[in-house]
């Protein structure tokens, strides 16, 4: 038994749009504007340049995924190129980054659903978190079904998201064309605004990068994509181009209707925008945003579960996580992610959360690029269905180093010590996992019990499918 290749080009594009257009565009404009020192030209430039850099980085990962078209391709690739310790460290970072990201998305969805009941004041935390948990578990159960079912739901979600962002974008353009003084005046004297320093720009890039993180989904489900050598690069180029354009137009529309001060003081930017432009449709738009965002949760769970699946086959996680149910889904891995994400929902500062999700992703990206260079040097004749331009790899390495170390140099603080400790804890866990592996036989009875509970069967090891 193994995961089925059921995702074609159209559905891959829909998955990419659904996973990328998520919490980011509705929460990170606030963070990007704060770290841009309320400088509108700098803010929009960061959105545009960040999108292009994300596309460059995604195309580098496309070489990785087409060379090793398996589920959890990034983990598999790091294991083959940099060794088990690097692969485990990426698993350690992704474990927390995915869980915190899913928690942030759940909280944002709950915020949009519940905020209309508390017009004029922030919604209480308790009902918001209860609603977030309900959304998480509902879409988590959906993710435990066959991938094809998830993809069909994501297609509907993608169309809803594009419709909402198109409404916001077109309305902003119309207001600018009409030329009302209230709207046009917001863009006057923007060049006189204060310029942010280097560390603030890095923080803004980390916020923006969170909005483009969905591209990694296609890399993690490469083992379930039809003709991955053609589908993955085409989907990344076309899908991310649409996302960059939509993000730019949406931010311009936000800034046309709201002042920078109003944006940074709002917890639900799209709702605040709607209250100003279409006050009578607040409920409809709020519900539409929430429904369209909900499927981003299942995308996050789908991506994270495939990393668990690959690591389990490698022996770094319990074997039960790589076992498949009748729908060819790693259901135990899915439920473990739901449980751990439920714990992360207690963290309510989404902006602070987004920062660390982005930082962890850049650490993994740095290791992936080093692995690509190493394999280019050591195995120049290895079949590569898609080969990215070499300067793109060097560009991604420079970008990763810049975004990781600039905040530490410009404004060192105790948070950076915590980050280093976090990485060392990952290496410590790797040593403990290796040391305790000899006692795996003690867990065989537990594995058999859970295998009966979830009705799952062992899957075929992906190592047999790749010649390296």
């Amino acid at each position: 038994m193994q995961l089925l290749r059921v995702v074609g080009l159209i559905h891959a594009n829909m998955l990419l749009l659904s996973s990328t257009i998520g919490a980011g565009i509705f929460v990170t404009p606030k963070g990007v504007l704060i770290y841009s020192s309320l400088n509108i030209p700098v803010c929009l430039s960061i959105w545009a340049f960040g999108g292009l850099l994300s596309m460059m980085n995604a195309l580098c990962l496309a070489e990785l995924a087409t060379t090793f078209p398996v589920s959890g391709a990034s983990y598999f690739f790091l294991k083959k190129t940099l060794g088990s310790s690097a692969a485990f460290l990426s698993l350690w970072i992704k474990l927390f980054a995915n869980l915190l990201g899913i928690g942030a998305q759940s909280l944002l969805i709950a915020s949009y659903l519940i905020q209309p009941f508390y017009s004029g004041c922030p919604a209480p935390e308790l009902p918001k978190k209860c609603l977030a948990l309900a959304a998480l578990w509902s879409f988590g159960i959906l993710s435990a079904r066959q991938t094809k079912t998830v993809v069909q739901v994501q297609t509907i979600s993608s169309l809803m998201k594009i419709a909402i962002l198109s409404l916001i974008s077109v309305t902003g353009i119309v207001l600018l064309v009409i030329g009302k003084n209230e709207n046009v005046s917001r863009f006057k004297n923007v060049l006189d605004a204060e310029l942010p320093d280097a560390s603030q720009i890095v923080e803004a890039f980390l916020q923006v990068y969170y909005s483009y993180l969905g591209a990694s989904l296609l890399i993690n489900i490469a083992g379930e994509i039809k003709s991955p050598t053609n589908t993955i690069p085409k989907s990344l180029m076309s899908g991310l181009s649409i996302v960059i354009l939509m993000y730019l137009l949406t931010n311009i529309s936000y800034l046309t209707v709201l002042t920078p001060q109003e944006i940074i003081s709002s917890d639900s930017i799209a709702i605040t925008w709607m209250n100003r432009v279409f006050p009578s449709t607040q409920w409809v738009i709020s519900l539409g945003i929430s429904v369209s965002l909900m499927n981003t949760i299942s995308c996050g769970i789908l991506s994270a579960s495939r990393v668990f699946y690959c690591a389990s086959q490698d022996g770094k996680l319990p074997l039960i996580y790589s076992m498949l149910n009748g729908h060819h889904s790693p259901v135990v891995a899915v439920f473990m992610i739901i449980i751990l994400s439920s714990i992360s929902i207690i963290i309510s500062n989404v902006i602070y959360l987004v920062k660390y999700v982005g930082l962890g992703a850049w650490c993994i990206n740095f290791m992936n690029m080093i692995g690509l260079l190493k394999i280019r040097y050591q195995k120049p004749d290895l079949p590569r269905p898609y080969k990215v331009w070499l300067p793109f790899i060097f560009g991604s390495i420079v970008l990763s180093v810049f975004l990781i170390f600039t905040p530490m140099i410009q404004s060192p603080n105790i948070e950076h010590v915590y980050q280093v400790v976090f990485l060392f804890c990952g290496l410590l866990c790797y040593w403990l996992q290796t040391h305790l592996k000899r006692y795996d036989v003690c867990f065989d009875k537990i594995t058999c019990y859970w295998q009966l509970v979830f009705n799952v069967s062992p899957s075929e090891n992906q190592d047999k499918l790749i010649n390296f």
Side-chain angles (χ1 to χ4, degrees), residues 288-452:
I289 291 173
S290 301
V291 171
S292 65
L293 284 177
M294 279 184 180
N295 285 319
T296 310
I297 299 175
S298 59
C299 283
I301 295 172
L302 183 67
S303 179
S305 64
R306 271 44 182 183
V307 177
F308 273 50
Y309 171 84
C310 187
S312 173
Q313 286 194 330
D314 188 38
K316 297 299 183 293
L317 289 176
L319 180 63
I320 191 71
Y321 292 139
S322 63
M323 294 188 180
L324 306 177
N325 63 4
H327 300 291
H328 294 266
S329 173
V331 62
V332 182
V334 168
F335 276 101
M336 179 55 66
I337 291 164
I338 297 172
I339 293 170
L340 295 176
S341 297
S342 299
I343 298 173
S344 76
I345 285 179
I346 63 173
I347 302 173
S348 58
N349 191 335
V350 177
I351 296 256
Y352 182 81
L353 189 60
V354 163
K355 171 182 170 181
Y356 284 97
V357 171
L359 188 63
W362 279 113
C363 291
I364 296 174
N365 184 71
F366 175 75
M367 291 191 291
N368 283 329
M369 296 305 113
I370 295 297
L372 276 176
L373 282 181
K374 181 180 178 182
I375 200 174
R376 284 272 187 104
Y377 174 75
Q378 290 185 341
K379 294 185 177 290
D381 298 326
L382 181 71
R384 293 177 176 84
Y386 174 79
K387 192 172 183 179
V388 74
W389 194 34
L390 189 60
F392 278 15
I393 300 178
F394 285 111
S396 290
I397 291 174
V398 172
L399 183 63
S400 299
V401 172
F402 177 76
L403 291 175
I404 292 170
F405 291 104
T406 300
M408 299 181 187
I409 297 171
Q410 288 285 331
S411 54
N413 55 54
I414 192 65
E415 292 177 0
H416 300 133
V417 177
Y418 295 154
Q419 293 165 13
V420 174
V421 170
F422 171 75
L423 293 177
F424 275 108
C425 285
L427 295 174
L428 177 62
C429 287
Y430 172 73
W431 179 83
L432 289 173
Q433 184 271 340
T434 304
H435 179 72
L436 295 175
K437 195 172 182 179
R438 68 188 69 176
Y439 303 108
D440 280 355
V441 66
C442 302
F443 299 100
D444 285 349
K445 289 185 178 180
I446 299 175
T447 300
C448 290
Y449 172 76
W450 286 113
Q451 189 176 351
L452 292 171

Side-chain angles (χ1 to χ4, degrees), residues 64-81:
L64 175 161
T66 53
T67 305
F68 301 97
V70 296
S71 294
S74 177
Y75 176 90
F76 187 91
F77 172 78
L78 287 174
K79 172 195 167 187
K80 294 294 185 182
T81 56

